[in-house]
Structures are given as C-alpha cells and as structure tokens.
Amino acid sequence: QPTKQSKRGRKPEERQRQNGSNQRSKGIRKQRKENNQEREGGGEQTEERQEKQVIKQSLTVESLSEEELAMLKEQVEQKKKLISTMRNKPWRMVKKLSVLREAQDFVEKFEGALGKGKGKKLYAYKMMMAKKWVKFKRDFENFKTQCIPWEMKIKEVESHFGSSVASYFIFLRWMYGVNLVLFGLIFGLVIIPEVLMGMPYGSMPRKTVPRAEQATAMDFSVLWDFEGYIKYSALFYGYYNNQRTIGWLKYRLPMAYFMVGISVFGYSLMVVIRSMARNANESTADGDDDNFIFSWKMFTSWDYLIGNPETADNKFASITTSFKESIVDEQESNKDENIHLRRFLRVLANVLIICCLCGSGYLIYFVVKRSQTFSKMQNAGWYERNEVEIVMSLLGMFCPPLFETIAALENYHPRIGLKWQLGRIFALFLGNLYTFLLALMDDVNEKLAEEDVVKNITHWTLLGHHNSSAGNDSTVTPPPLDPADVPRGPCWETTVGIEFVRLTVSDILVTYITILVGDFIRACFVRFVNYCWCWDLEAGFPSYAEFDISGNVLGLVFNQGMIWMGSFYAPGLVGINVLRLLTSMYFQCWAVMSSNVPHERVFKASKSNNFYMGLLLLILFLSLLPVAYTIMSLPPSFDCGPFSGKKRMYDVIQETIELDFPVFVAKIFSYVANPGLIIPAILLMV
C-alpha cells in the first residue's frame, strides 16, 4: 500500500512533468515548422504581418516619414518580385495561391501610398489606369481573335476532321483576303473613277449596245453568255475611255488602268513570297525523314486539335498503320524484287498519262477552233456557245480519277504517289490552260485582221455623214451620229475577258454541282437506303465521301491563275471571284460537316502549306507571261479601251514621262530600258 500511495501521490507531479515535456516538444515542433517555413519562404509571412501592422499604423497619419516610406517602397518591390517569380517556387499549389493572393492584396492596397498627401490619390489613380489599360489590351487581343473571319467555323471543321482538312479552309480564307485587296485596288482606282467622272453610259459607241443587238440585249440567254448590256458595262475592258484625263480631278485613267494591272501581279508576288517565308520560319524542325523514323512517328504524329471521337479513332488507326508501313518498308528495303517488271509498269503508266494529257490538250484546241465557227453562226444553240467551258470542266472532273487508276500500276509509296498525282493534275490544268490560250491567240489574230477592215469602214461612214449633212456650206455643223449606228471593231480585249469570265462561272457551277451530287445526294442515299440494301453501304460501295484536299487546293490555285490572267481584260472578274470565295467558304463548310467523313489516314498539314504556296507562285509567274506578251507585242483595239489609238499598250508610260516629267527623267528611263540592264535583272530574279 505505501508504494501504491507513493505512486498515487506522484501522479500529479508526473502529469505536470509530462505536460511540460509535451509543451516543450510542441514548442520544438513549432519552432522546426517555422524554420522550415522560413527555408521555403514562409518566414516572409511573419515579417509581412509585422510590416503590415507598422504600415497600417503609419497610414493612419496623413503623411509618412521617410523611413516608413522607404520601408513601404521596399516591401512593395519585394512583393512585385515575389509575384513575378511565383511560378518558379517549389511549393504546393495551395500555398502558391495563398501567398500570391496576399502579395497581390498587399501591392494593390499599399502601392498608392508611395506619394504624399494628394499625391497618394494621383498615384493610385495612375496605377489603376495602368492596370485598366493592360486589361483592355488583353481583352482587345481576344476581341481581334474573335473577329478573324470564319475562325470558329474553321475550328469546328478542324476538331472533326483534323488540321489537314482545316488547312484548305485556312488557305481559302487567305485567298479571299488577297482577292479582297485586289478588288479594292481595281474598284477604287479604275471602276469608280470611270463610272463617276467618265462619259455616261450610251454617250459613245464603246458604251452603247449596237442597234442590231438592242432587241435581245436584255434576254436571259444573252446575258448568261455575257453579251448584251453586260458586254458594254464596266465589267469589261471595252467600257473604259481613252481620254488622257477625265473629270474635274484630271484623273489619268489610262495610266491608272495600266499601273493597277501591273500592281495586281506585284502585290500578289509580294504576298505569296512573304507567306512562304513566314511558313518557313514558323515551321518546327521536323528532322530528316530518313533518320530516326520511328522516333519522329512516336513523338510527333498525334494531332492535338482533334476533338471528335471518330476522327481520334481514325487518327489512332492512321498512326498504327504508318508504323506498320514503316516496318514493312524497312523489311522490304533489304529484300530483292523484280525491278525490271516494276520499271516496265512505271514507264507504261507514264506513257498512258502523257497520252491522256496530249489528248486533252488536242481536244481543247479543237473545241476552241470550232467555237470560232459557231460564233459566226446566227442561231447557235446553248451547247455550241458554251462548248469550250463544258469540255474543260469535264476534263478537270474525270482526268484526275483516271490518273489515280493508272497510278496503281506504279506501286509507289503513298506519300510519293500523292506527289506524283498532284504533279500530274497540275500538268493537266496547266496544259489545258495554255492550250486554251494558244487557241485564243489565233482568234485574237483573226480579230486584229478584221479590225483593219472595220477601221476603214468606220472612217468612211463618219466622213460620209459629215459631207452629206454639211453639203456645200462648210460652216454648218453636222448633227451627231447616234453611237448605236457607228460601225465598231470586234474589240479583242473584251472577247478575251468574256472567255475568262465564262470559264470562271462554269468552274463555279461545276464545283457546286459536284458537291451537291457527289457528296450531299450520295450521303443521303447511303444514309437512308442502307436499311433496305443487300450490303452495308456505309462500309462498302459507295460509302460516304471524303474531302478531296489536293483536288480542291489545285482547283483553287488554277482558278486564281485565271483571275490573274483575266483581270487585265475584265476588271470586274476579281469581284466575281470574291463572291465565289465567299460563298465557297459557307457552302463547302456545310458540305464537309453534313456529307463527308474523316479521312481513314489523317495526315498532318504542316508540310503542305509551302507546297501549296509554291504551286501558287508558279501559276502566278505563268499567268504573267500571256499578259506581258499582249502588253508588249499586240496592238490594242482602235475603238475600245483606255489604250485605243496607240501602237502598244505600254506607250501610255512613255506618254506620261514625256508630258508630265522633266527631260532628265526620260533619259533615266531610256537608260533603264536598255537590254543590257533588263537581261541581268531577269537572270537575278530567276
């Protein structure tokens, strides 16, 4: 019992000792925790609390002492530095957020106190306005992003079909912007001045429908062929007058027409080259395709912009297939094969394709020559009037699938086969276009020969009218001859412009009809007839259509080539193309989202942008050649257009230099025009 009592008596003492030891251990833990917080930056919080108390006490006074102001300024700078380096702190996210909020509150609350008296409010106002300005700039950048035309529509297409399909619509939007600038140049510097300050419509022969055509000038069939009132409108070259200056502004319209025609090519060249340079600078290092193939496929194959599950599954299957193909390529590269048979099949395929290209070129030349015969007929039908456009559109529709069928003999790798296919389609379009131009030049030469006869008839008609009205009395002024009765030449520039407008309009119609029939009606048939058909139409033939990226891009490129060539002879053609691109964006986006399915082999479009731009640059150069030839070599029509009455179109430059510039400027231009300088400049540009 004594021992138990002694133990019982010791219990309160032991408890006190234990409580003391627990308190000491808690104090040690708390001190260790504070030390750890000081190591991690948490010690700053205790110092901040003390400093906040001092500052709060000092801010109750109207003015601050110099020591308190210096301490406040130092603390504000420390907090700003802490906010800027918060990302690099090795802390947990909760701690980062709490410390960041405290630091931001501290800066926001005490930064305005760096002034004195009324200066505090002024400084606080300045800081508030600076923050508002930064927020406004950030919101304005977001607003500019939202204002990019069709940005959300393209993002929607990109999320469902990948960046390869979206690259076509981005290219289409870029082409729309370029054509909008070209339309602004032509519309603002050529069309508007002639309409406002030139001779009014019907006041002269080139702006008046001939008497024989007035009865049918408003018929739909005539207007559809761009004849009648459309032919004698501001849409074509023949509408514009050859007066050196027009209106009260003394605007030099022929000079403006010539310089705008050259500026269209100059601006387009500058924009295309700049875009190619930007794409080259922004492209990431893709590495050599022949080295580290599997590493590149592993780490760079996925398209992170895909948001549609079906497209993601297709992309997954595409990456898997590309790995299998690469493995097979590595295995096949070490195997022997019948190389003679493969060479024979490839030669045979190229011979067949060359025959197709030659046949299409001959067919276009034959049709254009025959259209000249149809144009002289009185009662030519609709097909005879539009045979050239129909044949060229059908060749552009059926030849690429034929090339793809023949290319199956070559057994190329899919990537190499795609390049061959694009090159052959490019050669087809280019050959057809230049064959059309060569056949059109024959028609131009015939019209130039016809102009000599008409020129004499016009001269004798005006002379006879003057003599018959004046009689023997030379003082009597003859009554004016009605412009509709004056004989006029064929105006070959307007004829060329009409042909390019017809080609553009027929290309638009064929493209839209192909989308409706080949995509939409096909998708409706597969969707609704699949329930009662013998086989699965979605998995088998005909299935849903995929979006043809290469064909659409090449069609867009060659359509732009026709615009560049035809805009000099039909200034309104650029406006037609702007409407075409605007409607194509909405129509094709609707067709893709409603009628097409994602590609089975989705590929990245990063390497395709400069390839498309290279094709556009080539077609720009090839479009410049025919226009330069007509400007430098062919005489303009004698009774229509801004260059009528001159031997060559470029004479308007020499006329302006002689009449408006000092003499030494003419000498400088004569030296610059020396072939000894022109030939090295051309070689340097090439």
Side-chain angles (χ1 to χ4, degrees), residues 111 122-138:
E111 194 172 18
L122 180 61
Y123 185 82
Y125 176 75
K126 289 181 179 179
M127 295 303 299
M128 181 187 70
M129 293 305 296
K131 292 178 181 179
K132 295 289 185 182
W133 175 247
V134 172
K135 185 176 183 300
F136 171 76
K137 290 196 295 184
R138 184 171 63 248

Side-chain angles (χ1 to χ4, degrees), residues 114-357:
L114 293 175
K116 290 186 177 181
K118 296 181 179 180
K120 291 191 295 184
K121 296 182 179 180
L122 180 61
Y123 185 82
Y125 176 75
K126 289 181 179 179
M127 295 303 299
M128 181 187 70
M129 293 305 296
K131 292 178 181 179
K132 295 289 185 182
W133 175 247
V134 172
K135 185 176 183 300
F136 171 76
K137 290 196 295 184
R138 184 171 63 248
D139 294 339
F140 185 69
E141 291 295 329
N142 296 333
F143 174 73
K144 287 197 299 184
T145 303
Q146 294 293 329
C147 289
I148 297 176
W150 308 299
E151 182 70 13
M152 301 307 296
K153 189 178 291 293
I154 293 176
K155 290 298 182 184
E156 183 181 4
V157 172
E158 191 172 35
S159 66
H160 284 78
F161 294 87
S163 58
S164 57
V165 177
S167 66
Y168 166 76
F169 291 99
I170 295 173
F171 184 65
L172 176 62
R173 181 176 62 185
W174 183 84
M175 291 296 301
Y176 176 78
V178 172
N179 281 269
L180 207 60
V181 175
L182 298 182
F183 176 72
L185 282 175
I186 296 176
F187 190 77
L189 299 178
V190 175
I191 298 178
I192 289 296
E194 177 64 31
V195 172
L196 296 181
M197 296 183 290
M199 299 290 288
Y201 184 81
S203 59
M204 50 193 305
R206 69 191 68 182
K207 295 184 178 181
T208 308
V209 180
R211 187 78 64 185
E213 300 178 11
Q214 288 182 358
T216 60
M218 282 298 292
D219 293 348
F220 177 77
S221 59
V222 176
L223 296 177
W224 182 255
D225 293 332
F226 297 96
E227 298 285 344
Y229 284 104
I230 296 182
K231 181 179 180 180
Y232 301 97
S233 65
L235 185 64
F236 295 107
Y237 169 92
Y239 180 85
Y240 299 90
N241 199 358
N242 63 344
Q243 293 179 354
R244 187 168 178 268
T245 59
I246 59 173
W248 57 274
L249 287 177
K250 302 299 180 182
Y251 188 76
R252 292 172 172 81
L253 182 69
M255 184 66 182
Y257 194 101
F258 186 86
M259 295 305 297
V260 167
I262 301 302
S263 300
V264 165
F265 290 96
Y267 173 77
S268 302
L269 179 67
M270 180 186 67
V271 171
V272 171
I273 292 179
R274 185 178 179 182
S275 298
M276 293 181 69
R278 186 185 299 113
N279 291 335
N281 292 331
E282 292 180 356
S283 61
T284 56
D286 293 327
D288 191 358
D289 291 338
D290 297 330
N291 296 326
F292 312 110
I293 298 174
F294 297 99
S295 297
W296 286 115
K297 288 183 182 296
M298 173 64 71
F299 296 109
T300 64
S301 294
W302 187 255
D303 190 351
Y304 289 94
L305 296 176
I306 294 175
N308 187 29
E310 183 180 1
T311 309
D313 294 339
N314 290 341
K315 183 64 178 177
F316 176 79
S318 174
I319 296 173
T320 306
T321 305
S322 66
F323 269 103
K324 294 179 180 179
E325 288 178 352
S326 299
I327 294 172
V328 172
D329 290 340
E330 291 292 329
Q331 294 175 349
E332 292 293 331
S333 62
N334 299 322
K335 290 184 179 180
D336 297 330
E337 59 180 355
N338 192 351
I339 192 171
H340 299 290
L341 177 61
R342 177 167 292 185
R343 287 177 178 174
F344 172 76
L345 292 176
R346 290 178 179 177
V347 170
L348 178 62
N350 284 292
V351 168
L352 293 176
I353 289 174
I354 291 174
C355 292
C356 293
L357 293 175

Side-chain angles (χ1 to χ4, degrees), residues 57 59 83 130 146 171 189 202 236 241 251 271 376 457 483 506 511 515 529 545 588 621:
Q57 292 175 0
L59 287 177
I83 292 172
Q146 294 293 329
F171 184 65
L189 299 178
F236 295 107
N241 199 358
Y251 188 76
V271 171
K376 299 175 183 178
I457 295 174
S506 65
T511 302
I515 291 175
V529 183
Q588 289 188 303
F621 175 72

Side-chain angles (χ1 to χ4, degrees), residues 397-534:
M397 185 188 304
F398 291 106
C399 283
L402 180 61
F403 290 167
E404 190 173 358
T405 304
I406 296 174
L409 297 173
E410 298 175 315
N411 196 20
Y412 277 125
H413 189 276
R415 183 173 58 252
I416 301 175
L418 177 62
K419 293 180 180 179
W420 275 96
Q421 178 73 0
L422 292 176
R424 286 160 180 167
I425 297 175
F426 187 85
L428 171 71
F429 286 163
L430 190 62
N432 292 346
L433 188 58
Y434 263 78
T435 305
F436 171 74
L437 290 176
L438 291 175
L440 203 60
M441 289 307 299
D442 294 340
D443 190 19
V444 170
N445 292 328
E446 291 182 3
K447 292 186 181 301
L448 287 174
E450 183 183 349
E451 275 191 352
D452 296 334
V453 180
V454 178
K455 187 176 182 180
N456 295 328
I457 295 174
T458 304
H459 174 73
W460 286 107
T461 301
L462 295 177
L463 184 62
H465 174 75
H466 177 81
N467 293 333
S468 62
S469 59
N472 295 326
D473 191 358
S474 60
T475 60
V476 178
T477 57
L481 183 64
D482 193 340
D485 298 327
V486 176
R488 63 192 69 181
C491 193
W492 63 268
E493 295 92 345
T494 298
T495 304
V496 173
I498 289 175
E499 292 297 330
F500 277 107
V501 172
R502 285 177 178 174
L503 276 178
T504 303
V505 173
S506 65
D507 182 65
I508 295 172
L509 294 177
V510 169
T511 302
Y512 289 175
I513 291 173
T514 303
I515 291 175
L516 281 176
V517 176
D519 292 344
F520 182 70
I521 296 180
R522 175 181 172 182
C524 291
F525 177 80
V526 172
R527 174 69 176 85
F528 296 107
V529 183
N530 191 32
Y531 298 105
C532 56
W533 203 258
C534 303

Side-chain angles (χ1 to χ4, degrees), residues 63-117:
S63 61
L64 296 174
S65 64
E66 294 182 358
E67 295 179 357
E68 293 170 344
L69 184 62
M71 183 179 65
L72 178 62
K73 185 175 181 180
E74 183 181 357
Q75 292 301 317
V76 169
E77 293 298 329
Q78 289 180 359
K79 293 303 176 184
K80 287 184 177 179
K81 185 177 180 180
L82 179 63
I83 292 172
S84 62
T85 60
M86 183 63 68
R87 249 175 230 224
N88 302 326
K89 298 290 183 182
W91 300 340
R92 292 182 179 273
M93 185 56 68
V94 178
K95 184 177 180 180
K96 280 187 179 182
L97 292 176
S98 62
V99 174
L100 180 64
R101 291 193 194 99
E102 290 181 2
Q104 288 176 345
D105 294 339
F106 183 88
V107 172
E108 184 178 359
K109 188 172 183 180
F110 300 113
E111 194 172 18
L114 293 175
K116 290 186 177 181

